[in-house]
Amino acid sequence: MNRWDDIYEVSLPLPFALKAIKSYVIRGSNGFTLIDTGLSYWQAHEAWEKARQEIGFDWTDVEKIVLTHYHPDHYGMAGMLQERCQAPVLMTETDYNQAALFFGRESDQPDRMARFYGEHGLPEEWTKQIPAHLRGFTKWVEPHPEPTFIQAGETIQLGDYSYEILHTPGHADGHVSFYDPARRLLIGGDFLLPKITPNISLWPECDPNPLDSYLTTLDKMKPLAVDRVFPSHGPVFEHYRERIQELMKHHGERLAEMKEWVTRKPLTATEVCFRIFGKNLSVHNLRFALSETLAHLEYLRQNGQIRRERKSGHWIYLT
C-alpha cells in the first residue's frame, strides 16, 4: 500500500481485463473519506478489510464516501459500504441516474444496447449475448446507495483540505475530479490515466458526442496547475500536461485513421471496430471496443467530416 501524507492508495481486484481499480482513503481530523469503492464481490471485500486494518480505522470512522462516476468498478460497493459505515455517499445526480439506467433491475437498457449494436452491424451471434452480459453486473452493484448529490463548481472537504469539484466528462457524462489548489494535486478518477487511454464510449440515452466532450475536457483542464495526479488505474504520476497532449494526439490519429478507411470504402462501425481491435474479443471487451469506435465515428459525422446512410438495416459510414 502506498501513502502520500494524508492519502492512502487501496488496490481492489476486478474480475475482468483491467485487473484492479485504485481507490483512495483520505485521513482527516474528523475521520476518513473513501474515494470510489470497487465492485461488490468477495475479493474486493477482503481487500477493503485488509486495507482498513493496515491503515488503522474502523468502518464507523468513515465520514463520507465520494464517487467520481457511476461505472461499476467505482460505484459497485457504495451501497454496501454506506450500510456498514452509516456515512453519506456523494456523487453527481447525472451519474446516479445512469447507474439506474445501466444496472437497475427494471431497466431495458441491456436490450436497447443489443439493438443499438445490431443497427451498427454487429452480428446476431454477438448481440444476443449483450443483455445477459450487462445484467450480470447487477449483482456487483447492489445494494444501490442513497446518495447526496454534488455538482461541479462546488467545493468539498476531503480530509482536512478543501477541493474544487471539476466536471470532467467524456468517460462518463457526470464524471467529476477533485482538485486541491493549495497542494496542486488532482484526484482524477478515470479522466486521466498514466498508461492506458480512458475508454470513451457512445451509449444509447447518454451523451451523443462523448469524444467531443472528452477532447473539450482535456483542452479545458490542460492549463490547470497540477503537480501530482491520483488516477483510478495505474500509478500516481506527475506528467500531467504531457499526458493530456499524448491523449489528444492519440485521438487525433485514431480519427484520421477512421476517416481514411470510410473514405476508401463505406463501412459499418462493426467493420471499423474489427479493423482496429481484431475479432478475438470477449463480449465484455467487444462492448467497449465497439462503443469507442462509435464515439469516434460520431465525432467525425457530427463535425461534418463524414456522413452515414441506412443500408440493409444497418448504418454505413462514408464520405
Side-chain angles (χ1 to χ4, degrees), residues 245-281:
Q245 281 295 114
E246 290 171 359
L247 289 173
M248 294 178 81
K249 182 174 183 287
H250 162 78
H251 287 293
E253 291 172 347
R254 180 58 55 82
L255 288 165
E257 183 178 40
M258 289 190 188
K259 183 179 178 181
E260 182 179 355
W261 287 345
V262 301
T263 297
R264 292 179 180 178
K265 178 185 177 182
L267 298 169
T268 65
T270 297
E271 290 170 326
V272 175
C273 174
F274 286 157
R275 286 192 179 199
I276 297 170
F277 298 102
K279 296 184 178 181
N280 188 26
L281 299 168

Side-chain angles (χ1 to χ4, degrees), residues 17 70 76 105 126 223 233 302:
Y70 78 94
R105 287 189 176 269
W126 288 101
H233 304 283
Q302 293 184 46

Side-chain angles (χ1 to χ4, degrees), residues 4-186:
W4 293 266
D5 297 324
D6 60 325
I7 303 177
Y8 301 81
E9 177 189 274
V10 178
S11 182
L12 302 170
L14 297 171
F16 40 76
L18 279 174
K19 302 299 185 185
I21 175 181
K22 300 290 181 64
S23 296
Y24 295 97
V25 176
I26 302 179
R27 174 178 41 81
S29 302
N30 297 318
F32 292 81
T33 296
L34 312 184
I35 309 291
D36 292 331
T37 66
L39 289 179
S40 187
Y41 84 120
W42 69 270
Q43 286 180 297
H45 293 177
E46 288 185 349
W48 262 124
E49 187 59 32
K50 180 181 178 182
R52 182 193 66 76
Q53 294 176 18
E54 289 181 357
I55 296 169
F57 67 91
D58 292 325
W59 291 117
T60 53
D61 295 330
V62 174
E63 61 171 329
K64 60 172 74 82
I65 301 162
V66 181
L67 306 181
T68 58
H69 61 295
Y70 78 94
H71 291 164
D73 52 332
H74 299 254
Y75 171 90
M77 214 185 300
M80 187 275 286
L81 288 176
Q82 183 175 42
E83 291 179 353
R84 179 173 292 179
C85 302
Q86 293 299 296
V89 171
L90 281 60
M91 66 185 301
T92 65
E93 185 173 9
T94 295
D95 270 25
Y96 181 66
N97 290 336
Q98 291 196 343
L101 176 67
F102 280 89
F103 311 122
R105 287 189 176 269
E106 304 305 315
S107 175
D108 67 347
Q109 180 74 340
D111 305 290
R112 188 185 296 121
M113 290 277 288
R115 293 192 297 270
F116 176 68
Y117 289 144
E119 290 175 353
H120 286 282
L122 191 66
E124 185 181 1
E125 65 191 77
W126 288 101
T127 59
K128 67 183 182 182
Q129 299 179 56
I130 296 296
H133 169 68
L134 277 172
R135 291 190 171 101
F137 283 90
T138 302
K139 63 182 180 294
W140 288 330
V141 302
E142 291 182 333
H144 291 268
E146 297 181 5
T148 300
F149 295 132
I150 57 175
Q151 59 185 356
E154 298 176 341
T155 59
I156 185 171
Q157 195 76 13
L158 303 178
D160 293 332
Y161 292 87
S162 180
Y163 288 71
E164 298 173 5
I165 303 175
L166 306 177
H167 187 208
T168 48
H171 179 71
D173 293 1
H175 192 296
V176 286
S177 300
F178 305 100
Y179 175 61
D180 175 0
R183 297 184 293 173
R184 295 161 61 111
L185 65 84
L186 183 76

Side-chain angles (χ1 to χ4, degrees), residues 214-251:
Y214 186 61
L215 294 175
T216 299
T217 295
L218 290 175
D219 190 58
K220 177 191 72 175
M221 293 287 287
K222 188 177 179 182
L224 201 66
V226 175
D227 292 335
R228 182 171 290 165
V229 181
F230 292 79
S232 292
H233 304 283
V236 172
F237 66 98
E238 298 174 355
H239 56 291
Y240 174 74
R241 289 180 181 161
E242 293 87 344
R243 186 58 181 149
I244 287 177
Q245 281 295 114
E246 290 171 359
L247 289 173
M248 294 178 81
K249 182 174 183 287
H250 162 78
H251 287 293

